[in-house]
Amino acid sequence: MLREPARLIAYRRLLLDVALTTGSFLLAHQLRSHVLPRVWPELFPGGLYPLADYLPLLAVVLPLWMLLLAAHRLAAPGEVLSLRREAFKEMRVALLGVLVIAAAGYLLRLEFISRPFLLLFGVINGVVLAAARIFERRTALGRKLAEAPERVVVVVGCGDEAVAVAHQVTAHRAWGLRLLGLVDADGCASPQTGGFPLVGGVADLFERLAREVVDEVVLAVPTRQLGELEPVLLRCQELGVRVRVALRPFPHLRPHVEVEALNGIPLLTFATSPIAPFALFVKRVVDVAFAAAALLLLAPLWLVIAAAVRLGSRGPVLYRQVRCGLHGRRFVLLKFRTMVENADRMRAEVEHLNVMDGPVFKAPADPRVTGVGRLLRRASLDELPQLVNVLRGDMALVGPRPPIPEEVEQYEPWQRRRLAMKPGITCLWQISGRSNLDFATWMELDLAYIDHWSLWLDTKIMALTVPAVFSGRGAA
């Protein structure tokens, strides 16, 4: 019910954002080329390259901006962001996009890209996009342009579920939804309507469908009662009126829900991890691009670390260990070896040094760790080979850390849900203290990551991982 008007509004915004971003780009070019050299000639002695040379950059900026805007605007159907949050999201997109372009320009040695131009473009574009959202919310013309076409809705039912649906419909008038009223499907003497108008019973509904404008009918009744309302579905199908069913067969569950079809068979999906194919696709693209670039750029560092590990102690350069990935799938995790050879066989001898509760083992004073290994662990450089796991698809850059099978066997049922998302190199646990946290807090942080996952959350975790690694806080 809410996705279609949301998509329509999103398409309108897309066209508007393309125009505003193009205008911001051209204005920034003109300011840098003609205005700033006149106002501050000592700071900006010359103009930019001709606009024709910048048009290929604009061709890169527009799809990148649209991708970032689409990722930042992903939300559950029916979720309405506050004006402040939405405006700040638009400004973050401009900042993030400028940082991406600046980094690409530096790495690719694109000398024609002016840093003052990028700064001007980012500021102008961020302000303009935020102003557009404010215009949509705070002005009559903006609200009119942002509204979806009107759709009149009738809710069948008089219980708590029907009243909850009616509240949602009236809360989304900007999306074109208008509630005509509730229909008493039970013939109750005193139906509960929550203050919403009661437009009669099922028989009255048939008459209203024939003589009034009704675009959609929502059946919000107990699951056991749905079979009794088949005549309503048949009449609506006959008249071309769309019917929706408010399903909450398990009222105590709060999962991600999606309805899809398997060769014509409707399937109601209850998932404990995000159902966002496009956002997850973007996440995978970023994982592959970042991992490939990092492996290439850090190749000299790999050689230095490999030589240090090899010379520091006997044994292979890489340490391989079986870990549990998505939904318990097992894979071989790669790390630079930081312990003496055959350290796994000596685990029982150092068990008393464990500082973690629960099934995990962390020992900051572990005597099995080599001198080189201690340095690698402190800087988290031993994790670099996991970029190969990311390329293989076993892991992501951000996600719960992959446990060993023996730990998973000791999990409580609620803790196994952390396996519902692909494991990663860094996550909330890594930036919150690592070994300084107890096991229960670690699990809760992983579940909080899954429940609140977004591309923006991944971006923040990646940004906070850098200072966490340099500080060495909680490293073991």
Side-chain angles (χ1 to χ4, degrees), residues 400-421:
R401 289 295 294 159
I404 61 177
E406 292 77 13
E407 293 173 0
V408 175
E409 291 173 1
Q410 301 178 57
Y411 279 180
E412 296 180 21
W414 67 271
Q415 294 168 345
R416 288 189 61 91
R417 189 161 72 86
R418 70 187 297 268
L419 301 176
M421 201 155 186

Side-chain angles (χ1 to χ4, degrees), residues 406-453:
E406 292 77 13
E407 293 173 0
V408 175
E409 291 173 1
Q410 301 178 57
Y411 279 180
E412 296 180 21
W414 67 271
Q415 294 168 345
R416 288 189 61 91
R417 189 161 72 86
R418 70 187 297 268
L419 301 176
M421 201 155 186
K422 187 179 292 187
I425 298 177
T426 184
C427 199
L428 291 175
W429 180 67
Q430 274 71 18
I431 64 175
S432 302
R434 294 190 276 186
S435 298
N436 294 338
L437 303 176
D438 59 69
F439 180 70
T441 302
W442 176 6
M443 297 297 100
E444 289 170 1
L445 286 172
D446 283 345
L447 296 184
Y449 169 76
I450 293 173
D451 292 336
H452 300 94
W453 177 80

Side-chain angles (χ1 to χ4, degrees), residues 14 17-18 21-22 25 55-73 89-90 92-105 108 110 113 118 121-122 125 129 278 282 285-286 289 455 459:
L14 180 64
D17 291 342
V18 168
T21 301
T22 302
F25 187 94
L55 291 181
L57 179 61
L58 178 60
V60 173
V61 164
L62 289 179
L64 174 62
W65 255 240
M66 297 311 105
L67 183 66
L68 292 174
L69 285 168
H72 272 64
R73 289 172 182 167
K89 275 195 169 190
E90 306 295 285
R92 282 203 301 256
V93 165
L95 174 62
L96 181 60
V98 164
L99 290 176
V100 171
I101 294 295
L108 300 176
L110 303 178
I113 299 180
L118 286 180
F121 171 54
N125 189 238
L129 291 177
F278 177 73
V282 173
V285 170
V286 172
L455 291 173
T459 304

Side-chain angles (χ1 to χ4, degrees), residues 344-365:
D344 289 340
R345 301 177 185 176
M346 304 164 58
R347 166 75 177 269
E349 302 174 15
V350 296
E351 196 70 43
H352 64 284
L353 299 175
N354 187 17
V355 299
M356 291 287 290
D357 59 344
V360 295
F361 179 87
K362 292 287 180 181

